[in-house]
Amino acid sequence: MSTDADATARAEQQRLQLELLRRARAGAARRSPAAPADRAPAPGRPPLSRAQRRMWLMERLGGAGDSYHVPFATRVRGPFDPAALATALHALVVRHTILRTCYGEEAGEPFQEVLPAPAAIAVPVVEADAAEAPALLREEAARPFDLAVGEAVRARVLRHAEQDHTVLLTFHHIAIDGGSLDTVADELAALYTAATDGSGPPLSDAPPQYADHARREHEGIPGLRAELDRWSALLADAAPPRLPAPRPSEASATDGAAAVHTVPLAPALPDALRALGAEHRATLFAVSLTAAFAALHRLTGDDDLVIGVAGTHRTGAAMRGLVGLCVNTLPVRVDVSGDPSFAHLLHRVRDALLDAQRHRHIPFDLALERLGATARGADGTALVRVTCDVLGEPTVLRLPDTSAEYVDVPTGGAKFTLSYALALGAGEPPAALVQFDRDALDEAAAEATVRDYAALLDAAAADPELALSQVPGFGTPHDRAQDPAEAEPSAALPAGEDAHPAVQVLRAHPQVADALVVQAEGGRPVAYAMLSDSAGPSGNELLGLLRRSLPAASVPAAVTVLDALPRTPGGLPGAPAPAVLSGPRAAAVTEGFAALLGRTPPPDGDFFELGGHSLVAVQLAERLRTGLGLPLTGLDVLQARTPRALTALLDERAAEQSAAKAAARPARSRATRPGTVLVTGATGGVGAFVLRELAARGRPVLALARPESAHLIAAEGVDVVEGDLTDLAGLRDAVADADAVVHAASTFTRPEVDLAAMEAMVGAWRGGPFVFVSSVDAYGHPHAQRVVEESPSREPLSPYGRAKAECEAMVLRAAGTDGRGGASAVRSPIVWGAHERLREQLRWGALGTLYQAAVRGEVIEVPRPGIAGHPWYGAAWVHAAALARAVTECLDRPMHGVANAVSGHVSWRDLAQDLTDLLGTDAEVRESDAVPRDLDHRWHYDSHRLARPLRPRPGEDRRSVLAEMIGGMTDGSA
């Protein structure tokens, strides 16, 4: 008779069998011959392709959200093996290097770098019923990517029933496009099949690699000069379409998400449109594009229009099977004047489209750079803000013995202001569709234009010779929802008169109680707004509204939000607008403009007219954010545009930051939470273990974390304060709110930031102990093989080690003065523990060469003992939990100096053998007479002062912690 215990035993046995099968597959994948894609890359870091550069800039500008995430989801019904999918996905990442490429910046220019293949790709499985699935898929697709660490694809599986799953792969657009998705789906299915039936590697041909394409494109750009001149000349006087802006009440209610409106079409209509196109030597896409031009003409009233279409660099046999971003925007410029018939307009569109396609190999952003400020409207909008496409059957993942159903996972923002599309999905009725940005386009106008688009497609099929004015409802353009914009400000109006169009627009905003415009003598006007409540829009947001709603001549230089509006200019701050900006933030802005644009700007000089572009906006934002410690993005720079407006924005944010800190401070009850410990670096590997140890001891914690990471550490007894090492004012306030400090944060690569942060913290430290988690790198290169605690530093010191030593000196000098408590500098070596950040350091940090060689089963060469007169080569290490105990011990018993925190030492040979054994590879370890820079380490560090808390506990030996770290990587846990 079966019992619950029997069932449990059988389930456990099945789980173990599946786990053994998965490990066997993973081992087979690691031991198989290297895929052709792993051939040695060309020397040097490849540049970014122009398409990648656009994606990188959009990420760096900020505000893109998940607009450039590419979710690929399929409902799979039938037998499905998540472990086989993990094996297949790992093989795909090995095969296509673009899926394991990271992106960095050097001297202001981005570069890409191919990383070694990871040991495995995690495929988490989550139990979820069908009703929960949409929200879970949307949440997963929206999770941000970190392009700096090479994250371009991730997976998640929702299990609805034993044979009912939804498989979601989320890519970043920088690594994939529509053409790539088809390749990925086909290859992943083949690799999955091989993983399930054990048939061996199914894909033998070496695919082309994207880095080679990027190099070829980069090398070919100088030869495009003549064609680029002609292409730029064709667009020289083009302007963005004048789209109806949302009414203020609509704009304030949006959440930045894209909206979609559809109109169903007759099932026979696509075939009729294909026949129409064939009759006029045009494709179905050209017919759809013609309808889009006609609909846009009615929406805007403009005759000279530009619509962007997607082109591709993916041509020829050499590009077949290439995974990567190969799209190129093609601007199609058409004259819609003269009331043409649809057929006549189709000929114009067809010819313009062919002309654009002849230039598809020229990256569009090169033309934009050539055009400069003329490629934007007076309000700063981009030339291509409207696009058109024909949407076919979506790609799905077809796995053996299963059915596949496409699952739509919407992403947040719209890439363009307005996009027309003819949707032709298999099994679905055809539809006319528009997607639009609700922050930039009037909702009623979007609804009207999709109806117009659908009506035009119908009319074209019925009578293509009918003039556009004769199509029902097409007599005149729609009323544009920008009434105030049509009126230029009258020179006869006195300064501050209510009739100024900016006043009308501002007062129409539902959260603005009153507004005033003051005309400065000889300069641009300045606007002031009084909000209905304190939670309304910022001055910069209101300025953006004015730019969208008014002609350039009517837009004030800045909008300042006030608590009340004096009725005389003398009572207004900043009125009249000064000819020279003043103040520390104004000086930083002016200096930044001058340094990056090559000339000192006037207060109201336009960023684009001064030669600015997206990369300069990113560089200026980073310069100001770092220098001033205020939040700022490249998108803020592009929206503010002038030094005066940007300074006003920074002043506004400084005031908001101060007000938020002042409001937050009384909320902390020091009387009820005595002994609060501030922990910096709380989301890092060391900080996480320190938090855990403090919680175990019942100590209340104030944890410093970046806003995007704050949710990772929120827990009982942990208060989170948002900030980082660049926010010096925030650091000072956080230290002032704490009774003790554990400073575990570090930039690793920016010593000047680390030093400035320590100076700010020490300056604010007024009581209690201070523990600084330092590094043995502060010793430099001691003469002796055994390093006694508090031994002096010896050159050469790395910049990282020197910064650690200088930070130690700062805090130790301040200890015991002005009521401060004792200080401890805890120098740690390599830290090991079950935390994702520490796993990443094992993979890619100082020991990355050993780990990656062990993963690939390659020969591992380590220095032979005795070389260069050194009897031993290896590394010191500490378990993260032991280090946390030592740090916490210093809170109660300060060291009043330097102490080492070391769990043990391991030779490179023993460590390499450990890694090989634990990874299950056949890597051979050889001793060599060469001493690579990463392995030139030969010191043993005493750690007597903290011996008690460092005493190892069960599971804290070297082999156990390495096994736990590696197991977490291969199993996708932690």
Side-chain angles (χ1 to χ4, degrees), residues 34-399:
D38 265 355
R39 62 184 182 273
R45 289 169 167 167
L48 271 63
S49 72
R50 301 303 298 196
Q52 283 181 308
R53 188 184 178 93
R54 287 195 300 274
M55 290 299 107
W56 181 82
L57 281 170
M58 292 307 297
E59 284 289 322
R60 298 299 296 276
L61 283 171
D66 59 349
S67 300
Y68 294 97
H69 295 188
V70 182
F72 173 39
T74 304
R75 184 81 173 262
V76 177
R77 291 182 173 89
F80 171 70
D81 184 352
L85 180 66
T87 299
L89 187 57
H90 176 263
L92 186 79
V93 171
V94 170
R95 181 172 167 80
H96 296 283
T97 57
I98 189 63
L99 299 179
R100 46 187 169 93
T101 294
C102 67
Y103 303 86
E105 182 182 359
E106 189 170 39
E109 282 296 317
F111 64 84
Q112 58 182 309
E113 185 172 4
V114 175
L115 299 175
I121 303 292
V123 180
V125 179
V126 178
E127 300 285 340
D129 60 38
E132 298 175 294
L136 291 174
L137 294 172
R138 177 73 186 87
E139 180 184 3
E140 171 63 17
R143 278 203 300 123
F145 283 92
D146 187 349
L147 300 181
V149 300
E151 182 189 26
V153 58
R154 56 175 180 256
R156 176 159 294 190
V157 173
L158 303 186
R159 186 180 187 274
H160 312 305
E162 185 176 352
Q163 294 200 356
D164 185 4
H165 298 79
T166 296
V167 177
L168 172 64
L169 302 178
T170 307
F171 299 87
H172 195 284
H173 200 8
I174 200 169
I176 203 165
D177 58 12
S180 303
L181 207 55
D182 293 333
T183 299
V184 164
D186 291 343
E187 292 193 359
L188 198 57
L191 293 165
Y192 176 91
T193 302
T196 53
D197 63 17
S199 57
L203 304 170
S204 56
D205 294 338
Q209 297 300 329
Y210 190 84
D212 297 330
H213 160 70
R215 282 194 179 94
R216 287 194 301 269
E217 181 190 83
H218 185 73
E219 293 164 358
I221 285 175
L224 299 176
R225 185 169 291 110
E227 290 179 278
L228 185 58
D229 288 342
R230 180 172 178 272
W231 190 220
S232 302
L234 290 174
L235 300 170
D237 57 347
R242 299 177 301 156
L243 298 175
R247 293 171 177 82
S249 57
E250 293 175 356
S252 63
T254 68
D255 57 4
V260 175
H261 291 311
T262 60
V263 174
L265 301 173
L269 184 59
D271 287 339
L273 296 176
R274 288 189 185 94
L276 171 64
E279 183 180 344
H280 293 272
R281 296 181 294 112
T283 62
L284 175 62
F285 176 78
V287 174
S288 172
L289 181 59
T290 302
F293 269 107
L296 185 60
H297 168 63
R298 188 178 187 223
L299 177 65
T300 64
D302 296 339
D303 291 333
D304 184 5
L305 294 170
V306 175
I307 292 181
V309 302
T312 181
H313 298 298
R314 202 183 298 277
T315 58
M319 301 282 278
R320 189 173 297 122
L322 176 67
V323 171
L325 182 62
C326 296
V327 295
N328 185 31
T329 300
L330 302 180
V332 181
R333 186 178 185 182
V334 173
D335 180 1
V336 194
S337 64
D339 192 22
S341 68
F342 191 94
H344 187 189
L345 183 59
L346 175 58
H347 283 246
R348 296 184 192 177
V349 171
R350 179 199 63 198
D351 293 344
L353 180 59
L354 289 173
D355 199 20
Q357 288 173 337
R358 280 193 286 270
H359 296 89
R360 67 180 180 270
H361 59 289
I362 300 177
F364 178 49
D365 61 316
L366 287 179
L368 291 180
E369 288 180 8
R370 180 70 60 89
L371 293 169
T374 62
R376 292 182 175 270
D379 61 351
T381 54
L383 178 62
V384 173
R385 59 189 309 212
V386 180
T387 64
C388 182
D389 204 354
V390 172
L391 306 177
E393 182 178 359
T395 303
V396 295
L397 181 60
R398 301 189 183 278
L399 302 179

